[in-house]
Amino acid sequence: MGQANQKALVYEQVQKAAAEHRASTEAGKKGSGKADVFPLYDPTSGKFAQGMSQDDISKFVGRSFAGTERTDPEWSYDWVLGPALRKDREDADRIHAISFSADNFVCAHGTLPKEGVIFGSHSSEGTDDSLAAVLVARRYPDGYRKEWSEGLWDLWHTARNITNMPAVFTSSKYAATRKAVQPRLDFILPLMQTSHEDLASMPHWYVALMATSPDRGGEGHCAALMRTIARRADADGLPCYLETSAARTVDIYRHFGFEVVKKTTLTVPDDEEGSLPHEYLYCMIRPPAVPSL
């Protein structure tokens, strides 16, 4: 089967999983009553739903993961960026840096691989139907391994952003920050790759990104998206794998059948002043067909 046909098949399966979620919600089962899940990206046409673009998705994730005064950030990103970009969670340079990194995940696990999918969720009630949450996932039919072609994707990601690189990587203002960020990147990126290789060598679904708009928490969008990917994985008879860096989200994901299989303190020797170790980066796995769902 060609790559285009494989993408179309995965897209069709995603639509089915989303439709099952809507049906269970309408029937008054354990769905999330306000959340309507839909495929956000159509691989057959290369277009996003709701007139959005890949940049829009990456910026959405960046705003979510940066955090606000009222909402927590994605702590691994917060740790990597360090104290200079922690003072104001809604700082434009901070959000831009996180969006840039998120764009690489959207490319590598959503839009470029034949097994990648992107779900969105918005409200099925009221007048606000704007995007409330995004999930990017990828099916690994033979277990995790970084293919040689993904190096080309990294280059493509850099090339498409060459005129819009984050200030943290280009501005003299962040020269000291840049010097401190690199060792943290050199620690966490290989950690994530080797953990994924070691813990998910079997066929599985990888939840690469799960982001909710800071002002839409508590509306059930994360629950709706996680149930959708769980149904898809159960239909395939496959486990799910993900990483998270907050104890609060560990508790949330446990509700959907995930369990911690590894946790690692994020720390590097001789780190800059004000940068403290973060506990922890959690790796979690959900076996297929969890009865409670």
Side-chain angles (χ1 to χ4, degrees):
M1 183 182 292
Q3 178 165 322
N5 288 337
Q6 287 179 317
K7 279 196 168 191
L9 178 59
V10 171
Y11 177 62
E12 180 180 333
Q13 293 169 339
V14 168
Q15 287 182 308
K16 180 180 179 181
E20 288 173 352
H21 168 78
R22 285 193 294 271
S24 69
T25 298
E26 291 166 1
K29 297 180 182 178
K30 280 189 176 181
S32 305
K34 296 182 179 180
D36 184 21
V37 175
F38 61 98
L40 188 53
Y41 176 71
D42 181 355
T44 59
S45 66
K47 294 181 179 179
F48 287 89
Q50 295 188 336
M52 301 190 75
S53 67
Q54 180 166 316
D55 287 340
D56 294 329
I57 299 302
S58 300
K59 290 175 182 176
F60 179 95
V61 177
R63 288 192 297 272
S64 169
F65 282 9
T68 68
E69 289 184 358
R70 303 178 310 278
T71 61
D72 288 340
E74 208 293 329
W75 291 108
S76 62
Y77 284 84
D78 188 77
W79 174 77
V80 166
L81 290 176
L85 285 165
R86 188 177 295 141
K87 298 173 184 176
D88 179 4
R89 290 180 177 176
E90 299 182 64
D91 175 76
D93 290 342
R94 173 184 168 92
I95 294 173
H96 189 188
I98 297 174
S99 300
F100 175 82
S101 176
D103 188 70
N104 198 12
F105 274 80
V106 175
C107 289
H109 301 289
T111 59
L112 293 181
K114 60 181 179 292
E115 302 284 2
V117 297
I118 305 176
F119 303 161
S121 179
H122 58 189
S123 293
S124 57
E125 301 175 0
T127 58
D128 185 1
D129 65 350
S130 62
L131 186 65
V134 170
L135 182 146
V136 179
R138 177 179 177 183
R139 182 170 59 187
Y140 281 91
D142 301 311
Y144 176 76
R145 66 181 186 280
K146 188 163 184 176
E147 302 172 359
W148 67 269
S149 59
E150 295 186 42
L152 299 178
W153 297 351
D154 292 341
L155 291 174
W156 182 84
H157 164 254
T158 301
R160 74 183 294 272
N161 288 283
I162 197 67
T163 61
N164 191 36
M165 294 290 286
V168 69
F169 298 128
T170 59
S171 172
S172 59
K173 172 184 175 182
Y174 293 110
T177 297
R178 192 156 53 245
K179 184 178 179 181
V181 163
Q182 192 59 53
R184 295 194 284 266
L185 283 173
D186 291 342
F187 176 81
I188 193 170
L189 294 179
L191 170 66
M192 291 176 66
Q193 182 173 336
T194 56
S195 296
H196 198 169
E197 289 173 348
D198 294 343
L199 299 171
S201 59
M202 65 294 194
H204 66 283
W205 275 93
Y206 173 47
V207 181
L209 293 172
M210 174 63 238
T212 302
S213 176
D215 59 351
R216 304 294 293 276
E219 295 181 9
H221 298 287
C222 174
L225 288 166
M226 293 304 293
R227 286 193 174 96
T228 297
I229 194 64
R231 286 191 178 99
R232 181 64 259 152
D234 287 349
D236 292 338
L238 297 179
C240 290
Y241 176 85
L242 59 76
E243 305 103 355
T244 186
S245 57
R248 184 180 66 84
T249 52
V250 166
D251 291 337
I252 291 172
Y253 294 142
R254 277 184 170 141
H255 179 72
F256 303 107
F258 286 86
E259 288 297 337
V260 174
V261 291
K262 180 179 180 179
K263 62 181 183 180
T264 306
T265 300
L266 301 179
T267 185
V268 295
D270 303 318
D271 206 352
E272 66 178 322
E273 183 178 354
S275 179
L276 301 175
H278 174 71
E279 296 180 343
Y280 298 98
L281 180 70
Y282 301 89
C283 301
M284 305 186 74
I285 290 179
R286 174 193 182 273
V290 174
S292 62
L293 292 177

